[in-house]
Amino acid sequence: SQQGEEDPQALSIQEGENATMNCSYKTSINNLQWYRQNSGRGLVHLILIRSNEREKHSGRLRVTLDTSKKSSSLLITASRAADTASYFCATVGSASGTYKYIFGTGTRLKVLA
Amino acid sequence: GAVVSQHPSWVICKSGTSVKIECRSLDFQATTMFWYRQFPKQSLMLMATSNEGSKATYEQGVEKDKFLINHASLTLSTLTVTSAHPEDSSFYICRGDRGRPEAFFGQGTRLTVV
């Protein structure tokens, strides 16, 4: 399967703590994106990091990318109960003018108030 | 920004009936539409890729006669689940592509077959 692997599969933390989730992939990429999905809902785009970037910040989010190891990490600082959701990485590769997304297995984050 | 409108957002149907899901790109032309399926507590898996005016390409293990995809125009793609069964109950989501790395996902459709 080409699907990316994420770990941990599930993470439970206290409000205010940081949450880190990791994504590993197999193919070459144009960029890597992180999404949040609340239970039974659609995808919310969080952040995009290009293959030539190593780190990117957006508010309480910090994403790193190591293309030599084919891995990425998402750090959520000072977590809140509202951050409870599933988080997916998606590797994006281009072929024949279109972009193919391959999603990771996801990390279910639970932030306890 | 570009928007893909998907509906219905949820549908309950009886076993053996067919269900159509629509995805419309509202302010751009989606030359390619991707359809994904997500079972509970699992990730999104690509089902098929459709290009406007041509037959869809299905991923391995996806029955093309069961999941009919039509991409008749640059702004509309439909997925029809034919003769639905309870095991087809899932979350279906589309993504419109216009040749850029940014993603334009629909809101998703929760299908429950009873």
Side-chain angles (χ1 to χ4, degrees):
Chain A
S1 168
Q2 292 187 17
Q3 194 169 37
E5 296 290 326
E6 287 185 58
D7 76 271
Q9 287 187 348
L11 180 60
S12 186
I13 59 174
Q14 293 293 133
E15 209 167 26
E17 293 181 339
N18 296 342
T20 300
M21 46 206 90
N22 304 292
C23 168
S24 60
Y25 58 93
K26 299 174 184 175
T27 61
S28 61
I29 63 172
N30 175 280
N31 67 81
L32 185 145
Q33 302 179 28
W34 284 90
Y35 289 85
R36 185 182 73 219
Q37 185 182 37
N38 290 81
S39 180
R41 309 290 291 276
L43 298 172
V44 175
H45 179 264
L46 295 177
I47 197 164
L48 180 156
I49 185 165
R50 302 189 189 283
S51 60
N52 61 353
E53 297 176 311
R54 292 295 166 259
E55 188 171 311
K56 205 160 183 180
H57 297 254
S58 176
R60 293 185 295 115
L61 306 179
R62 173 179 168 252
V63 168
T64 63
L65 178 64
D66 187 333
T67 53
S68 65
K69 295 181 179 178
K70 288 187 165 61
S71 68
S72 175
S73 68
L74 170 67
L75 168 68
I76 303 174
T77 61
S79 63
R80 305 166 182 167
D83 294 330
T84 295
S86 291
Y87 292 81
F88 295 93
C89 65
T91 54
V92 182
S94 61
S96 304
T98 62
Y99 289 87
K100 189 167 185 177
Y101 284 57
I102 299 175
F103 285 87
T105 47
T107 294
R108 290 192 304 281
L109 173 66
K110 190 168 187 177
V111 181
L112 304 169
Chain B
V3 174
V4 173
S5 176
Q6 180 175 351
H7 72 92
S9 56
W10 61 270
V11 58
I12 301 173
C13 72
K14 289 186 177 180
S15 190
T17 61
S18 296
V19 173
K20 181 185 282 189
I21 301 168
E22 288 190 354
C23 277
R24 292 181 184 274
S25 54
L26 297 185
D27 54 0
F28 71 100
Q29 294 182 328
T31 52
T32 305
M33 194 72 79
F34 297 86
W35 288 92
Y36 298 83
R37 177 170 57 184
Q38 182 184 34
F39 291 110
K41 295 188 178 180
Q42 294 189 27
S43 187
L44 287 82
M45 298 297 291
L46 180 64
M47 296 175 65
T49 303
S50 72
N51 292 296
E52 183 264 338
S54 61
K55 288 185 179 180
T57 304
Y58 291 82
E59 296 297 304
Q60 194 172 12
V62 178
E63 299 174 59
K64 63 179 181 180
D65 295 330
K66 182 169 188 59
F67 299 99
L68 301 179
I69 291 174
N70 185 285
H71 195 161
S73 78
L74 289 170
T75 58
L76 175 63
S77 178
T78 61
L79 167 67
T80 301
V81 183
T82 63
S83 187
H85 290 284
E87 56 265 30
D88 299 322
S89 297
S90 188
F91 186 71
Y92 295 86
I93 192 166
C94 62
R95 176 176 73 85
D97 186 290
R98 58 171 179 172
R100 296 185 184 179
E102 297 86 0
F104 307 108
F105 285 94
Q107 301 94 325
T109 297
R110 170 79 50 198
L111 170 64
T112 302
V113 184
V114 297

